[in-house]
Amino acid sequence: MLLLLPAVVLLVAFTYYPTVATIIDSFFSTPRGRRPARFVGLANYETMLADPVFRKAIVNNMIYAAVIIPCSMGLALAMALLVNARIAGRGFVRLAYFTPTVLPMIAVANIWMFFYAPDYGLIDQVLGHFGRGGNNWLGNPDTALWAIIVITVWKCAGFFMIFYLAALQQIPPSLLEAAEMEGATYWQQLRRVILPLLMPTTLFISVNAVIEAFRLVDHIIAMTRGGPDNSTQLLLHYIYQVAFGFWDTAYAATLSVVLLAILALIALVQFGYADRRIFYR
C-alpha cells in the first residue's frame, strides 16, 4: 500500500477530486463578486439543452471524431506496415512520419495557416495553376471543419504509427513464414494473421484516438476560435470559452460533465465490444 500511495495521491488529487467537484458544481450557480454560489438543481442542464451553440459543438465534435479516428488509425497502420518492411531509407521515413507528433500544436497551426491562406498559401498556389485558387479554407463554414480535421489526422497518425510498429515487430516471423508456406498471399496474411494479432494494440490506440478527438483544441484557439459561425466549435473549446471567456464556471462544469459522460460511454462500448474479440498472446 505504501508503494501505491504516491499514485493514489496523484489520482485522487488530479482525477477523482476534480471529477466529483465538477459534477457538484454543475448543480450550483456561478459565484459573482460577493454573491456566493447557490443550489439551482438542473437549471444549468436545462440551459444547456436550449443552447444552440452547445448543439452545434456536439454535432461538430461527432463529425470530427467519426472522421479523424478511423482515418488517423488507418493511416498509422499503413505507415507502420511500410516502415516495418525492408525499404531504402527506412530510418529517415520513420523520422519523417513521426516528426509531426513532436511539434507543438501551436507551431503546427501556424504552419497550416500558411498552407490554407487564400491566394498566397501553398495549397492555393498549387490550385491556382488549375484555375482553382482564391479559397478561404478557414473562413468558409463549409470547409473550415474539414481543414481542421486534416491537421489533426496529420499530427496524430505518426504518434499512433509508433505503437503499431512496435506491435508489428513483436509478431513472430515463424507465423508469417508458415502462412506463406501454406500459399497465403500478402493480403491474406494481413487479414488472417497480422490484423488479429494487432487487435490489443488497436484497442489501445482507439481509446487514445477517442481522447484526442475530444481533447485537442490548441489549433482551434490559434486558427479559428470556433468560427466562422461556430462551424469549428468543438465541445472542449466551448467549455474553455464559457469558463475563461464568459467566466460562467457553473455552466462550464455542466458542459464538462456531458463531455465526461460521452467519453465514459464510448469507453464502455469499446471495451465491452472489442475486448471479447481480442486475442492476447
Side-chain angles (χ1 to χ4, degrees):
M1 293 302 295
L2 288 176
L3 292 174
L4 291 176
L5 185 60
V8 171
V9 170
L10 289 173
L11 282 172
V12 170
F14 296 104
T15 301
Y16 301 141
Y17 172 75
T19 301
V20 173
T22 298
I23 295 172
I24 294 173
D25 287 346
S26 70
F27 296 104
F28 286 80
S29 64
T30 300
R32 305 281 186 185
R34 295 183 179 180
R35 186 181 67 190
R38 58 185 179 84
F39 182 76
V40 294
L42 298 175
N44 289 323
Y45 291 92
E46 293 173 357
T47 301
M48 180 188 66
L49 294 176
D51 185 357
V53 181
F54 166 73
R55 293 196 295 269
K56 182 68 174 178
I58 284 289
V59 172
N60 287 344
N61 225 144
M62 292 305 175
I63 296 172
Y64 183 78
V67 176
I68 70 165
I69 292 172
C71 288
S72 59
M73 291 179 63
L75 183 59
L77 178 59
M79 293 191 300
L81 291 169
L82 177 63
V83 298
N84 191 52
R86 292 184 176 87
I87 59 173
R90 181 169 60 176
F92 174 78
V93 176
R94 289 178 180 179
L95 177 63
Y97 285 162
F98 187 69
T99 297
T101 300
V102 299
L103 294 176
M105 198 55 171
I106 299 299
V108 169
N110 281 280
I111 292 170
W112 280 89
M113 282 178 73
F114 166 70
F115 289 168
Y116 287 140
D119 297 321
Y120 67 86
L122 183 62
I123 295 176
D124 265 16
Q125 287 185 30
V126 174
L127 294 177
H129 294 292
F130 303 96
R132 304 288 293 179
N135 301 286
N136 191 358
W137 301 101
L138 296 174
N140 185 343
D142 295 329
T143 59
L145 182 62
W146 297 102
I148 295 295
I149 287 172
V150 170
I151 299 172
T152 309
V153 171
W154 178 78
K155 181 163 176 62
C156 292
F159 177 66
F160 298 150
M161 178 205 71
I162 295 299
F163 295 104
Y164 271 130
L165 180 60
L168 285 171
Q169 294 177 347
Q170 296 299 314
I171 296 178
S174 58
L175 294 179
L176 299 177
E177 292 170 0
E180 188 174 357
M181 291 178 63
E182 293 292 331
T185 64
Y186 174 78
W187 296 109
Q188 289 174 328
Q189 293 177 41
L190 179 64
R191 181 184 175 190
R192 300 294 186 181
V193 180
I194 297 175
L195 290 181
L197 293 176
L198 290 180
M199 280 303 295
T201 303
T202 300
L203 176 60
F204 171 78
I205 292 175
S206 67
V207 172
N208 280 273
V210 169
I211 294 172
E212 292 295 309
F214 287 88
R215 183 187 67 86
L216 280 178
V217 295
D218 311 44
H219 52 324
I220 301 291
I221 296 172
M223 301 178 75
T224 65
R225 297 184 181 274
D229 193 24
N230 291 311
S231 61
T232 60
Q233 187 71 268
L234 302 181
L235 185 53
L236 187 57
H237 180 259
Y238 187 44
I239 294 171
Y240 167 80
Q241 276 189 334
V242 171
F244 301 105
F246 310 145
W247 294 105
D248 191 350
T249 54
Y251 188 43
T254 305
L255 297 171
S256 299
V257 170
V258 173
L259 177 59
L260 289 172
I262 291 172
L263 292 175
L265 180 61
I266 294 175
L268 286 173
V269 171
Q270 284 179 311
F271 283 98
Y273 176 79
D275 200 37
R276 295 195 301 269
R277 291 162 175 79
I278 291 177
F279 170 72
Y280 293 96
R281 288 184 287 117

